[in-house]
Amino acid sequence: MVKSLYFKIVLILLIFIIAVMCAVGAILMNGVTSFYIGDFTTQMRECFADDGILMMELKQASAAESYAEQMKQILSSYGSILGVDKYRNYYVLNLDGEMLTGSDIELGASLPITPNILSAINDSSTTISMGGMDYADWAVRMKRGNAGADCIIYIKDSLEEMRQLNQMLFTIILQAMFIGIFIAVLLSFFLAKAISSPLQSLTYDTQLVASGEFTHEIEVRSADEIGVLADNFNYMKERLRATLEEVDGEREKLDIILSCMRDAVLAFTADGHILHFNNSAIELFGDSLRTGDLSIEKSFEILDIPLTIEGNSVRLTSPDASAEATKDGFIFRDRTCGARVYDVSFAVIRYVAGKRQSSGCVIIIHDVTSRYELDESRREFVSNVSHELKTPLTSIKAYTETILSDPEMDAETRDYFLGIVLSESDRMHNIVSDLLVLSRLDNKRTNWTIESFDLKQSIRRLCEVMRGQVNEHRHRITFGCQRDLPPITADKQRIEQVILNILSNSIKYTPDGGQIDIKLSHLSKKFVRIEIADNGIGIPEEDIDHLFERFYRVEKSRTQDAGGTGLGLAIAKELVEAHGGRIAVKSSLGEGTLVVIDLPVECQLEKNGKR
């Protein structure tokens, strides 16, 4: 009954009538209230206007010794103008809010201190016409000057007339609503009968079509919307018959599509036996699919999916943070199988086998190994950046707090601490600068200045630039160059940055008194080779493959004061490869390091362009 069309139509009409009457009643009653309050406010403003006769007489009476009684007489004489009656009274109050005299002594003895009275006591020009939910009032302060303390003229209306009028309106609206409800119920039954009868007939006919009886023709009895609906059902029946004939062809197309998918797709029956699989699934699970040995439980075990099937229901055997519930199943993120990482989607399916509807499940396995490796690299990069920036920030904060906490610190100590702060700030600046360089290289937004220059002269100049550090560590540096070396075309500043970075590492990571050798030679007609070798502390073999990774540092093979951010070699590799060159490192722990840079004579970069 509740779900029937009869009930819905009757209910809608009832709700409509009630809603309309409630809205009309609310508007009328609100209008009466607004009119009454507005009229009271307008009347009070006009009566107590500063240039009005009433205010002039009240001001004259305020100078008298018996000012309260004289004001009462004046207000009484203006009673009709002020609208004074049994619901509206006037009072003369002192500045403590106590009644001196008034039209209703009994009510005036227990007057509450309203916002308007407080405003008058505080000599404020603000007047609130609505004193509360059950009254309206008006308060005016009368200044007596030298005659004595000021007093307050107070008008209060209990709004009883307004409430009586609203009550009368409410009664009328309630009566009208009951009459409207009776009429609406009567009409709704006729309307529901006119609509539901043809729909019931149409429902029976469509049930025959739904059961597979396509030969039955639905009778169209009218030309209205219901008749159009019946006609559309006849058209739908023919389309459905044609669609069923196309299902077999579409099924064959689906098999072809599944076989071409790169994602592995497995379909199982309700009892866990393999129903369908594609070529990608064979690559993942092998011949166990062809022989039928792979069950759904075994696939769950291989993919580490905490699911179990109980009858027609599926549930998690244990909580799994990577499991995401969907409408028909679950999605499991980052499942490891061998050396690969997969996203596994599991869903319950229903299909028709013969003439019987059956249920099963489908598993779609999407290889996300590349995405997983990329995410890991990004997380590691963020972690490294945070770590590198946290160290100088901690030092800066600590030394700054030390300086601020000791205003009497001697100048030498303060300068020492400030020097450390400046040094750590420079370190942060270098890290950010290196990150910006890498960012521009990654996004191919680096501005290149391509020119032809003598690489030999550049290396000699760089050796002179580093002469101070070389002498400080008592190193010996040699430079050898093959004859007839042609000039190269490249970004001179970037290439010098690479060489300077490698040379700086050799100086830092070679014990004092070491040997650094630089060689420049032909590799072929199209390439030149730069070799920078030292007899320093060397690099462990297992760390060599990671040297060009961002923020990677071989701490165990470095002295504590060597410093560095682990970005220099990463930048060097990016710059060299952008020019079309190669860079490699050969090293043994304790036996020194050799860095080999191969640069093309003509670089692949466009002049004055971005790449």
Side-chain angles (χ1 to χ4, degrees), residues 434-453:
D434 289 343
L435 289 173
L436 289 175
V437 170
L438 288 170
S439 175
R440 287 193 292 267
L441 288 169
D442 290 339
N443 296 318
K444 301 187 183 304
R445 297 178 60 187
T446 303
N447 291 313
W448 303 97
T449 304
I450 309 303
E451 58 181 311
S452 295
F453 63 96

Side-chain angles (χ1 to χ4, degrees), residues 213-331:
E213 181 59 49
F214 293 104
T215 59
H216 181 76
E217 188 74 15
I218 300 175
E219 184 180 356
V220 181
R221 299 179 179 177
S222 62
D224 57 8
E225 288 81 2
I226 297 178
V228 174
L229 179 62
D231 192 29
N232 287 335
F233 266 112
N234 284 327
Y235 174 74
M236 181 193 68
K237 178 196 64 176
E238 296 300 326
R239 292 293 302 165
L240 182 59
R241 181 188 303 182
T243 300
L244 291 176
E245 293 174 354
E246 296 175 2
V247 168
D248 291 338
E250 294 297 327
R251 184 177 301 169
E252 184 178 352
K253 294 178 184 179
L254 179 62
D255 291 339
I256 297 174
I257 293 173
L258 288 175
S259 64
C260 297
M261 287 180 61
R262 299 188 64 181
D263 293 344
V265 179
L266 300 170
F268 295 91
T269 60
D271 56 1
H273 293 93
I274 192 71
L275 178 67
H276 190 86
F277 55 87
N278 62 356
N279 295 333
S280 297
I282 296 175
E283 295 176 2
L284 180 60
F285 293 100
D287 292 336
S288 60
L289 281 174
R290 298 186 184 276
T291 59
D293 295 335
L294 183 68
S295 64
I296 189 169
E297 291 80 7
K298 189 173 181 180
S299 66
F300 287 167
E301 181 181 351
I302 294 174
L303 297 171
D304 190 23
I305 298 177
L307 284 179
T308 183
I309 298 179
E310 298 177 353
N312 293 327
S313 63
V314 182
R315 65 178 181 86
L316 288 170
T317 56
S318 60
D320 193 321
S322 66
E324 177 183 336
T326 62
K327 180 181 179 181
D328 299 317
F330 298 91
I331 297 178

Side-chain angles (χ1 to χ4, degrees), residues 67-265:
Y67 66 93
E69 289 299 324
Q70 293 189 26
M71 287 182 175
K72 178 180 179 181
Q73 293 177 4
I74 295 172
L75 292 171
S76 177
S77 63
Y78 281 84
S80 59
I81 298 176
L82 294 172
V84 176
D85 54 20
K86 64 178 181 178
Y87 303 122
R88 185 180 299 182
N89 294 284
Y90 60 85
Y91 305 94
V92 180
L93 310 178
N94 58 24
L95 293 184
D96 293 327
E98 298 173 351
M99 185 192 72
L100 300 177
T101 185
S103 59
D104 192 325
I105 302 300
E106 183 178 352
L107 291 177
S110 59
L111 282 176
I113 303 298
T114 66
N116 279 334
I117 294 177
L118 285 175
S119 178
I121 292 173
N122 295 325
D123 198 17
S124 172
S125 60
T126 301
T127 301
I128 305 170
S129 62
M130 190 64 180
M133 294 302 294
D134 57 350
Y135 69 92
D137 66 343
W138 194 274
V140 179
R141 180 165 176 164
M142 302 299 300
K143 298 184 180 296
R144 300 186 62 211
N146 296 329
D150 295 351
C151 63
I152 298 171
I153 303 300
Y154 181 61
I155 309 296
K156 183 175 182 180
D157 195 314
S158 64
L159 303 182
E160 186 61 27
E161 288 182 345
M162 180 192 73
R163 281 191 288 272
Q164 291 177 359
L165 180 57
N166 280 338
Q167 187 175 3
M168 184 184 302
L169 284 174
F170 178 80
T171 303
I172 295 172
I173 292 169
L174 197 61
Q175 293 173 351
M177 184 173 65
F178 282 117
I179 296 173
I181 289 174
F182 174 78
I183 296 174
V185 171
L186 195 61
L187 292 176
S188 63
F189 277 109
F190 290 104
L191 178 62
K193 182 66 176 177
I195 294 176
S196 62
S197 293
L199 285 179
Q200 288 174 350
S201 177
L202 183 61
T203 301
Y204 172 75
D205 292 337
T206 54
Q207 285 174 347
L208 293 177
V209 174
S211 63
E213 181 59 49
F214 293 104
T215 59
H216 181 76
E217 188 74 15
I218 300 175
E219 184 180 356
V220 181
R221 299 179 179 177
S222 62
D224 57 8
E225 288 81 2
I226 297 178
V228 174
L229 179 62
D231 192 29
N232 287 335
F233 266 112
N234 284 327
Y235 174 74
M236 181 193 68
K237 178 196 64 176
E238 296 300 326
R239 292 293 302 165
L240 182 59
R241 181 188 303 182
T243 300
L244 291 176
E245 293 174 354
E246 296 175 2
V247 168
D248 291 338
E250 294 297 327
R251 184 177 301 169
E252 184 178 352
K253 294 178 184 179
L254 179 62
D255 291 339
I256 297 174
I257 293 173
L258 288 175
S259 64
C260 297
M261 287 180 61
R262 299 188 64 181
D263 293 344
V265 179

Side-chain angles (χ1 to χ4, degrees), residues 11-30:
L11 182 61
I12 289 173
L13 288 177
L14 288 178
I15 293 175
F16 175 77
I17 294 296
I18 293 173
V20 169
M21 297 307 297
C22 288
V24 171
I27 293 172
L28 288 176
M29 295 176 71
N30 185 65

